[in-house]
Amino acid sequence: MQKIIFGLIFALLVVSDVLAQKFGYIDTDYILSKMPDAQKVQGELDAASTKWEKEIKDRQMEIDKMEQDYRAEEVLLTDAMRQERKQSIENKRKEAMDYNKKVYGPEGLLYLKKKELMTPLRDKIFEAVNKVVKTRKLEFMFDKAADLIMIYADPRHDYSDYVLEELGLGDKDDNPNKKK
């Protein structure tokens, strides 16, 4: 009997401790959309991506031209020359695929550029979140924009506007936690 009572008391203490914890969430996508530096970073990423896309397109056009020239001259070439041209075209195609992977692959140039440019912004957000967590005495802070799945989030627990205020980007006329 004592074990059951002790178990119930322990369960009540654990539940009351969990219920007493304060938590909140932010939406980094929303915060980034309000940061002028993030728009500048996006512009730089777009410019770099456009440059790389042009380089890839130019490589493909070169391959297409090589194939077109080969088809036009194929009947005039010896077997050895045909093999050499086919190999040359195949090598160019492989180079183009490797370059595409180098730019847009999982650890490619675009990923590295984005990481390089976004790290200072994410650090600013992280510092602001830490201040908000300490000021508001929160124990947990989630990011709605991250891979964490939130089926429902009560807007009362959205601290994105507080983080924006901490970053100096808050709207003086906007009441935190009263988003559209």
Side-chain angles (χ1 to χ4, degrees):
M1 184 70 156
Q2 280 184 315
K3 287 183 182 181
I4 294 173
I5 292 173
F6 177 74
L8 288 172
I9 291 172
F10 180 74
L12 284 172
L13 287 174
V14 169
V15 168
S16 67
D17 190 40
V18 169
L19 293 175
Q21 294 178 346
K22 288 182 69 178
F23 66 94
Y25 71 91
I26 60 166
D27 184 347
T28 53
D29 289 341
Y30 170 73
I31 293 168
L32 286 169
S33 74
K34 300 291 187 182
M35 296 177 75
D37 290 347
Q39 294 162 6
K40 180 182 168 194
V41 163
Q42 189 58 51
E44 288 182 46
L45 288 173
D46 290 345
S49 183
T50 299
K51 178 186 147 233
W52 289 321
E53 284 176 26
K54 184 183 179 328
E55 289 175 10
I56 290 169
K57 185 178 178 183
D58 290 346
R59 288 173 187 251
Q60 186 57 49
M61 287 173 50
E62 182 182 354
I63 293 167
D64 292 345
K65 173 90 169 93
M66 288 174 73
E67 288 176 335
Q68 183 180 4
D69 291 347
Y70 171 75
R71 283 192 300 275
E73 300 169 359
E74 184 176 15
V75 293
L76 305 173
L77 301 174
T78 65
D79 285 343
M81 292 169 78
R82 276 194 289 261
Q83 287 299 85
E84 183 181 319
R85 288 270 190 99
K86 284 180 181 178
Q87 187 60 48
S88 178
I89 292 169
E90 191 56 39
N91 288 344
K92 279 285 186 192
R93 186 175 284 120
K94 185 178 180 330
E95 285 175 22
M97 286 174 43
D98 289 345
Y99 184 73
N100 193 12
K101 184 177 178 182
K102 177 183 172 185
V103 171
Y104 293 110
E107 296 286 325
L109 295 174
L110 183 62
Y111 168 81
L112 295 174
K113 186 74 169 173
K114 185 175 184 178
K115 183 178 175 184
E116 169 195 338
L117 295 173
M118 291 300 288
T119 297
L121 297 177
R122 295 214 180 268
D123 289 347
K124 281 182 182 179
I125 292 171
F126 182 73
E127 289 172 21
V129 165
N130 279 334
K131 288 179 183 177
V132 168
V133 165
K134 288 175 184 169
T135 303
R136 302 287 171 183
K137 295 180 174 71
L138 301 173
E139 295 178 37
F140 297 99
M141 181 69 80
F142 300 99
D143 184 0
K144 183 176 166 183
D147 288 339
L148 174 69
I149 297 172
M150 282 196 185
I151 296 173
Y152 172 77
D154 187 335
R156 292 180 299 161
H157 302 293
D158 186 350
Y159 287 80
S160 301
D161 287 326
Y162 292 115
V163 172
L164 284 170
E165 284 179 14
E166 197 62 48
L167 290 167
L169 300 170
D171 183 357
K172 291 172 182 53
D173 299 325
D174 188 21
N175 186 5
N177 293 334
K178 298 283 187 201
K179 287 199 293 189
K180 309 167 198 115

